[in-house]
Amino acid sequence: MGRALYCGVDVGASATKLVLADGAGEVFARAVRPSGVDYAATARACLAEALATAGATEADLVRTVATGYGRGNVPFADATLTEIHCHGLGAHHFVPGAITVVDIGGQDNKVIRLDEAGGRVDFRMNRKCAAGTGAFLEEIALRLDLPLGDLDGLARAASGSVRLSSFCTVFAKTEILTHLRRGAKVSDIVRGAFASVVQRVIEMDPLEGRIVLTGGVAAHHPTIAAILAERTGREVTVPPYPQFTGALGAAIGAARGPGGQ
Amino acid sequence: MPADGKPALIKKIRSAGPMRELMGAYFRELDEASKTGSAKVAWCTSVGPAELLRSFGFRVYFPENHGALLGSSRLAPDLIPAANAVGYSPEICSYLTSDVGSYLRKLTPLTKAFGMAGPPKPDILVYNTNQCRDVQDWFAFYQREFKVPMIGIETPRSIGDITKDHLDGLVGQHRALVPTLERVSGTRFDIDRLRETVKCSHDCTLGWKKVLRAAEHVPSPLTFADGTIHMGPAVVLRGDPRAVSYYESLVAELEERKAAGVGAVDGERWRFYWDGMPVWGKLREHTELFSSRRACIVASTYCNSWIFEGLAEEDPFTGMARAYTELFIVRSEEFKQRYLEGMVRDYGIHGIVYHDAKTCPNNSNDRYGLHVRLTRSLGVPHVVIHGDLNDLRLYSEEQADTQFEALIEQLESKAV
Ligand code: SF4
């Protein structure tokens, strides 16, 4: 086809996301799979799927950048960049200007502050603990015996919010037992769990300026964005396909050439 | 250059050989004293009154040095649970828990390194709580085990300016140790011997300071990891003339590197400051990661903690009281901020890494907002990594590495 495509692949702790884009960041294909145990094979499978979607071949790939925890395990990548860098690039692509990027991932959270030009001012990562991450919500769904996909609808429809005060995922599950025993509504517990995720993020940083929320949790549970806006009193923008923000940032980094800055 | 043709990520310092011999001699002397009774053995905290002990002829052993060996040999994570099982919380100093675990499990890196069955048996335990309270509880365990006297100095903490009142109290506490030390050592106190030892320790401090200050040079001739290795004599042999000669030769080697423009990191581009304890079991990986990105950790609070400029032979007690109280760890947040600002300027630092060690709040300087205030005052970016000195169960490698890399990316993108 002779198209110049840039590939960004984000090998996260839970899911691998891949994006094919042109030099201006316009996306032609996306693919996502559970990262599994063989990161290289998963990344390859995502690439094959995305190439098929885009009607392209490997010969069309100009450069590939890998990001995420498994960034060192992508054999077809020309370079790697951290997910902190890529989430910044991806978010700034959709929301140009000075922004605060909040990425809620499967296993960790990041806050990345960017200036007008998209240059990074600073960043924070959560402590090494699943509190406030996607893994926390998975555990809560398990405890409540609900499919993960049902959480958002329940949280949105909730009339109240049960306060979960524990930092620890395991303790929060025990806390839920107490609430259930006392007759709390499941929907209120789910909304409380969402609020607890937001609370963990608010504890990381004062979150100034315009907030852009990225990551898989925002994709699957959009109500989190509403709660974040409510709790911070700030505008919260969720870019299209928030789960792919890091992969898109990697593709943009790839288009910028070696260094990806 | 190694066989694969790639430049080495870690460059050996030649003096490492003589240093190992010196440390070997030190441990052999301790072992011999312990086995034969040829000299009395005192256990001392790492910033305790070592000069006073040496002046009585004690061989001085430092359990914290053993703690660091347990960390760097990665034995600690297997030994800590043994201490936890007898009631020592996994939340307290992991030097303490790994050392107590080592005692309980009869497993020590001293066996492989120096052929010792275990640490030397103490005749007396001497602490200074200038660094933390854990050292007192740590020594108390051995007091109960070995039924030997434990004496010490309780230093006030979070001090801003050091006043005469502080010093008077501490001089009194130092003097109060003398009768017990005379009794246990069987030697009368001799002020001239103390002066001599204090002078020798001060000379060692000056040498060690020159070593660390050599890193002000661009490129730096040594890394943080080199510092942690070569500080051995400054910790365990201060007051012994061999430490003084050792640092003379090390300084000469570093001056050679400086003159030849040889940096510890090839193509050094970024200069970092490390605040807090090393993650002992990961020090090598950290050095390689930074080095591969042309970054060098050139200075640290940790290595500078064994500089005792206050030592003074003309007034040895006041000098010891001052030297062991002016240390960073003993001081107020305001002092710490001024100190770090000075280091950032002196060493031309581009970024700061704060290691928040779960089990050592005393060396985790991000807990009261100092890191945020400092970045605001200097505009130098930082990262905080959460981990531990010895307990690798508390350390997430991926998260730390991602933060290191992201900080370097941030500097690189600004430099484009
Ligand atoms: S200062 Fe920290 S590492 Fe050192 S003995 Fe005290 S608690 Fe342990």
Side-chain angles (χ1 to χ4, degrees):
Chain A
M1 259 180 78
R3 242 185 321 176
L5 288 179
Y6 297 92
C7 173
V9 53
D10 176 1
V11 184
S14 338
T16 295
K17 290 79 62 178
L18 186 142
V19 155
L20 294 178
D22 67 10
E26 193 187 330
V27 175
F28 293 100
R30 295 179 186 83
V32 56
R33 284 164 189 254
S35 292
V37 288
D38 186 346
Y39 294 159
T42 307
R44 281 213 168 281
C46 284
L47 178 64
E49 184 187 326
L51 285 171
T53 309
T57 69
E58 282 195 39
D60 298 323
L61 293 182
V62 182
R63 234 178 107 69
T64 298
V65 164
T67 187
Y69 278 154
R71 60 187 177 278
N73 298 82
V74 180
F76 57 90
D78 299 293
T80 61
L81 288 170
T82 65
E83 51 272 39
I84 290 162
H85 194 75
C86 291
H87 275 272
L89 287 176
H92 198 259
H93 176 74
F94 286 112
V95 189
I99 52 174
T100 298
V101 184
V102 173
D103 171 55
I104 306 180
Q107 309 252 322
D108 67 31
N109 295 339
K110 307 166 198 75
V111 174
I112 309 152
R113 218 188 314 272
L114 303 178
D115 61 22
E116 273 298 325
R120 190 177 344 133
V121 179
D122 59 18
F123 66 95
R124 306 260 163 104
M125 267 176 104
N126 65 323
R127 286 154 179 266
K128 45 174 196 322
C129 162
T133 69
F136 170 73
L137 292 178
E138 281 172 28
E139 290 294 325
I140 298 300
L142 251 162
R143 168 75 269 160
L144 293 173
D145 203 13
L146 290 168
L148 196 58
D150 287 3
L151 294 189
D152 197 67
L154 283 164
R156 205 170 340 111
S159 53
S161 177
V162 165
R163 191 184 174 88
L164 296 179
S165 45
S166 181
F167 273 113
C168 167
T169 304
V170 177
F171 286 178
K173 283 168 75 177
T174 325
E175 220 181 324
I176 283 175
L177 272 181
T178 315
H179 288 300
L180 286 173
R181 251 202 338 261
R182 289 186 187 147
K185 283 199 269 180
V186 169
S187 57
D188 292 357
I189 294 175
V190 173
R191 193 167 174 100
F194 279 26
S196 149
V197 167
V198 167
Q199 193 52 41
R200 298 291 88 84
V201 171
I202 290 173
E203 284 156 6
M204 287 171 68
D205 189 87
L207 298 181
E208 286 147 1
R210 187 169 178 188
I211 298 170
V212 179
L213 181 62
T214 66
V217 168
H220 300 302
H221 316 290
T223 303
I224 295 263
I227 299 176
L228 182 61
E230 184 189 301
R231 294 280 167 106
T232 57
R234 302 199 172 270
E235 185 186 352
V236 175
T237 308
V238 180
Y241 304 99
Q243 191 181 9
F244 288 89
T245 311
L248 174 63
I252 293 170
R256 291 188 180 180
Q261 316 288 359
Chain B
M1 201 173 272
D4 61 6
K6 286 193 195 140
L9 291 175
I10 295 180
K11 285 190 204 164
K12 264 243 161 70
I13 289 184
R14 260 192 340 261
S15 305
M19 194 207 58
R20 251 195 309 277
E21 279 167 32
L22 181 54
M23 294 298 280
Y26 161 76
F27 278 108
R28 273 192 305 278
E29 288 160 10
L30 277 170
D31 201 28
E32 145 102 16
S34 172
K35 281 183 183 149
T36 65
S38 58
K40 298 284 182 187
V41 174
W43 286 19
C44 183
T45 53
S46 68
V47 281
E51 295 76 9
L52 185 61
L53 301 177
R54 262 189 229 293
S55 79
F56 282 95
F58 283 107
R59 296 259 183 252
V60 188
Y61 168 78
F62 298 87
E64 284 154 80
N65 177 240
H66 190 233
L69 290 172
L70 289 164
S72 51
S73 61
R74 299 192 190 176
L75 283 172
D78 293 334
L79 300 173
I80 291 168
N84 299 153
V86 298
Y88 287 92
S89 160
E91 310 257 319
I92 63 163
C93 174
S94 61
Y95 270 180
L96 184 167
T97 49
S98 39
D99 186 65
V100 167
S102 156
Y103 173 83
L104 295 171
R105 298 264 315 270
K106 301 195 179 3
L107 204 67
T108 167
L110 296 175
T111 309
K112 192 168 166 207
F114 307 109
M116 292 166 72
K121 289 221 167 53
D123 294 293
I124 188 164
L125 305 155
V126 186
Y127 64 82
N128 188 335
T129 57
N130 48 358
Q131 56 188 101
C132 65
R133 63 158 279 180
D134 295 58
V135 287
Q136 195 175 356
D137 298 284
W138 185 353
F139 280 23
F141 172 85
Y142 291 108
Q143 182 193 26
R144 291 188 293 272
E145 287 298 308
F146 293 115
K147 317 242 177 315
V148 293
M150 176 171 87
I151 54 177
I153 292 158
E154 279 108 37
T155 301
R157 289 178 39 88
S158 301
I159 301 175
D161 293 334
I162 296 170
T163 64
K164 184 167 178 308
D165 288 343
H166 288 132
L167 291 179
D168 287 349
L170 288 162
V171 166
Q173 289 197 56
H174 276 83
R175 287 190 187 278
L177 304 179
V178 168
T180 312
L181 295 174
E182 282 186 327
R183 183 170 53 75
V184 176
S185 66
T187 305
R188 277 193 69 81
F189 173 64
D190 177 348
I191 185 78
D192 291 327
R193 258 193 100 181
L194 178 61
R195 284 186 207 283
E196 215 176 281
T197 317
V198 161
K199 160 132 191 11
C200 185
S201 186
H202 190 249
D203 289 347
C204 169
T205 264
L206 296 181
W208 175 231
K209 186 175 175 183
K210 270 192 204 153
V211 168
L212 294 177
R213 287 284 161 177
E216 286 180 22
H217 187 262
V218 181
S220 169
L222 77 162
T223 65
F224 172 46
D226 293 326
T228 63
I229 294 167
H230 291 271
M231 69 192 254
V235 178
V236 302
L237 280 166
R238 59 183 193 267
D240 183 311
R242 289 172 294 181
V244 180
S245 348
Y246 173 69
Y247 287 121
E248 279 165 9
S249 62
L250 178 57
V251 167
E253 184 181 348
L254 297 175
E255 287 303 321
E256 249 176 59
R257 275 193 177 184
K258 275 164 65 178
V262 174
V265 168
D266 282 323
E268 176 197 291
R269 189 165 181 215
W270 306 113
R271 298 166 63 82
F272 284 89
Y273 186 88
W274 184 282
D275 182 77
M277 300 289 288
V279 184
W280 283 112
K282 294 288 169 185
L283 196 49
R284 188 182 182 88
E285 283 85 346
H286 289 167
T287 309
E288 287 179 347
L289 188 148
F290 277 90
S291 192
S292 70
R293 305 293 298 249
R294 294 169 57 195
C296 182
I297 303 174
V298 297
S300 66
T301 311
Y302 181 70
C303 289
N304 276 279
S305 297
W306 280 269
I307 292 181
F308 309 108
E309 285 181 291
L311 292 174
E313 67 177 305
E314 57 285 2
D315 187 354
F317 280 104
T318 309
M320 284 190 294
R322 180 182 292 285
Y324 290 114
T325 308
E326 7 181 73
L327 300 173
F328 182 92
I329 198 166
V330 191
R331 310 302 289 278
S332 66
E333 289 286 290
E334 292 76 19
F335 174 91
K336 288 178 178 172
Q337 183 167 338
R338 280 199 309 276
Y339 177 94
L340 292 175
E341 283 169 352
M343 293 303 250
V344 166
R345 270 193 299 272
D346 292 353
Y347 286 85
I349 298 296
H350 298 111
I352 306 177
V353 176
Y354 294 88
H355 172 204
D356 184 304
K358 171 86 172 164
T359 71
C360 178
N362 315 288
N363 277 301
S364 300
N365 292 303
D366 62 303
R367 297 199 179 179
Y368 298 88
L370 177 59
H371 56 309
V372 177
R373 290 193 293 277
L374 202 69
T375 290
R376 223 177 270 145
S377 80
L378 295 177
V380 172
H382 71 264
V383 287
V384 177
I385 62 150
H386 293 272
D388 194 53
L389 41 140
N390 270 16
D391 194 344
L392 291 176
R393 300 171 301 178
L394 300 167
Y395 176 69
S396 160
E397 183 150 29
E398 286 299 343
Q399 285 201 350
D401 287 358
T402 297
Q403 294 205 76
F404 294 147
E405 285 192 37
L407 182 58
I408 295 171
E409 279 174 351
Q410 187 170 318
L411 293 167
E412 282 170 350
S413 67
K414 295 254 158 70
V416 168

